[in-house]
Amino acid sequence: MSEEPNREPGGGIPADRPQWPSGDPWKRLPAMAPADPEAPRPAGLADRVRTAYEPGPEGGPGTQARTVAPSALDPGASRDPHRIHRTLREDFPLSYDPLLRAWVLSRYADVATALTDARFTHGHRPGDPPCARAHVDVDTEALRSVAERTAYVLARRIADRPQADLVADFCHWLPAGTVAAAVGVPYRDMMRLVRGRAAGALAGECGGQIAVREKALASFLGNVLTDPDRIAELRDAPAGPVGRAWAESLRRDPPVQIAVRRTAAEVPVSGGIVPAGASVALLLGSAGRDPERFREPDRFDPARDDPGQLTYGDGFCPAVVLAGFEAEYALRALFTAMPRIRLADGFRPVWNGLITRAPRSLIVRPHG
């Protein structure tokens, strides 16, 4: 591609560049760790309960109904979290979840604040000093080159098959292969060395976070391939429309559904005040589908006139840049090697996951 990536003076990434929370899935959620006896928390379930008064028959004495806020970890949430998210946004904008052992924020405005406000700590933000010091010599054009080369190699490997699973045969390999090529690891050693703990040592904390990029790519391809009109629009599209489709996929189906922060001070939010020193679970999947921010939020629409997504800071992060290159060249390589690619007959992607979320498979017919 001849079009240069968007840049800011000093190598920073514009705030509207698609981003997601690198590192969060690898930090154990409060529910997975011993309870902190010093952490501020409500007594019992008081902050998960909403009290409503229902009138009695013919205007007689009313009855009091108590509704408990659902949890993002409730049974069934992996398959369909959106019903729970709607209830939380509408009725429980601030609640305490004993399963997560954290206060929960679900509205776009509150989650956006928590991701960028310095009063919320313990989360990676692009441009943070440790990140900035580690990536002063990153060559974005080199990242573009290796992402493009790796995508085309992988696409050609599956082009002759009658049927393929893009998650297993493409998305699973592209992020790892790009990192391998970038750091000079031989292709045959890619999965052994790049995936797992060795990734951080080879590519740094950000570039080594491969699983999130896999899931983001699977969701992106699932969103595009589900709609034949979208395939036609993006088949030969320049970088701009492809980038908007990528950003829209991150809004609608972020690979990380729940990010955890801790408050350094009291913070007012929609439903009240989050106490200082508290764990806070940010429902990214809920915030991206908040109807107060987006019209028809469940619809995948790269051309929407109310675009926008959650941002995690405007500093430079190689994982953000690399993921965008992988998404762009994934589409170009697949459409070049398989011009008639489409989903297999009767197949529709199914998203799964609680903490991270993406389709587990994308069955396609490379030759239509």
Side-chain angles (χ1 to χ4, degrees):
M1 290 298 299
S2 60
E3 185 168 331
E4 290 292 320
N6 295 329
R7 292 178 177 173
E8 289 184 339
I13 301 174
D16 60 355
R17 170 69 66 87
Q19 299 183 51
W20 73 94
S22 59
D24 282 317
W26 295 271
K27 295 185 182 299
R28 297 171 68 86
L29 289 171
M32 302 176 187
D36 180 358
E38 303 300 324
R41 57 185 298 174
L45 296 179
D47 288 85
R48 292 187 73 219
V49 174
R50 175 175 180 267
T51 301
Y53 292 90
E54 301 175 353
E58 299 181 356
T63 59
Q64 181 174 312
R66 291 166 63 82
T67 305
V68 177
S71 170
L73 302 183
D74 280 349
S78 175
R79 193 65 180 265
D80 180 20
H82 308 302
R83 176 182 55 82
I84 293 173
H85 292 171
R86 282 193 294 271
T87 300
L88 289 171
R89 283 194 307 265
E90 293 171 3
D91 297 332
F92 303 94
L94 176 63
S95 64
Y96 185 85
D97 189 328
L99 295 179
L100 285 168
R101 295 180 183 172
W103 296 82
V104 176
L105 299 179
S106 54
R107 292 181 178 176
Y108 180 91
D110 295 330
V111 172
T113 296
L115 289 172
T116 56
D117 193 309
R119 290 173 295 179
F120 291 85
T121 65
H122 293 67
H124 171 74
R125 294 184 178 94
D128 280 351
C131 181
R133 286 194 298 268
H135 304 302
V136 292
D137 297 324
V138 172
D139 185 340
T140 56
E141 286 309 302
L143 294 181
R144 175 189 289 277
S145 177
V146 295
E148 179 179 18
R149 184 168 66 251
T150 306
Y152 277 89
V153 168
L154 292 172
R156 287 194 294 267
R157 289 189 171 208
I158 61 177
D160 293 333
R161 302 180 189 178
Q163 184 167 290
D165 180 356
L166 290 184
V167 172
D169 301 328
F170 189 84
C171 300
H172 184 63
W173 294 85
L174 179 55
T178 302
V179 170
V183 299
V185 174
Y187 189 83
R188 64 180 179 275
D189 295 329
M190 176 176 64
M191 299 305 282
R192 179 173 64 85
L193 293 178
V194 176
R195 298 185 64 82
R197 294 184 178 179
L202 288 168
E205 179 182 354
C206 299
Q209 306 293 4
I210 291 170
V212 167
R213 303 207 314 274
E214 285 183 17
K215 292 180 181 296
L217 183 60
S219 290
F220 176 56
L221 296 179
N223 280 321
V224 170
L225 294 176
T226 298
D227 186 350
D229 292 337
R230 204 68 63 203
I231 295 176
E233 291 172 4
L234 297 175
R235 185 180 302 279
D236 299 310
V242 174
R244 287 192 292 273
W246 169 240
E248 172 71 350
S249 184
L250 292 177
R251 175 201 68 81
R252 182 181 183 272
D253 296 296
V256 177
Q257 293 285 298
I258 303 175
V260 176
R261 297 292 186 266
R262 182 172 289 274
T263 52
E266 288 188 350
V267 184
V269 293
S270 295
I273 297 177
V274 183
S279 291
V280 185
L282 315 179
L283 303 189
L284 310 183
S286 172
R289 298 197 185 204
D290 188 344
E292 293 295 318
R293 173 61 179 82
F294 303 101
R295 285 186 295 278
E296 298 185 79
D298 294 334
R299 184 164 65 96
F300 178 72
D301 180 13
R304 62 171 54 249
D305 60 3
D306 59 343
Q309 60 168 116
L310 296 168
T311 183
Y312 305 88
D314 59 2
F316 177 81
C317 179
V320 172
V321 177
L322 191 53
F325 290 157
E326 289 164 352
E328 177 183 349
Y329 289 109
L331 275 191
R332 302 197 188 288
L334 292 172
F335 287 153
T336 299
M338 296 162 267
R340 299 175 59 194
I341 187 173
R342 64 174 175 82
L343 293 177
D345 294 340
F347 178 84
R348 287 294 178 270
V350 176
W351 274 255
N352 284 278
L354 283 173
I355 310 304
T356 59
R357 184 173 178 81
R360 292 181 179 175
S361 61
L362 287 172
I363 310 302
V364 299
R365 295 182 62 85
H367 305 291

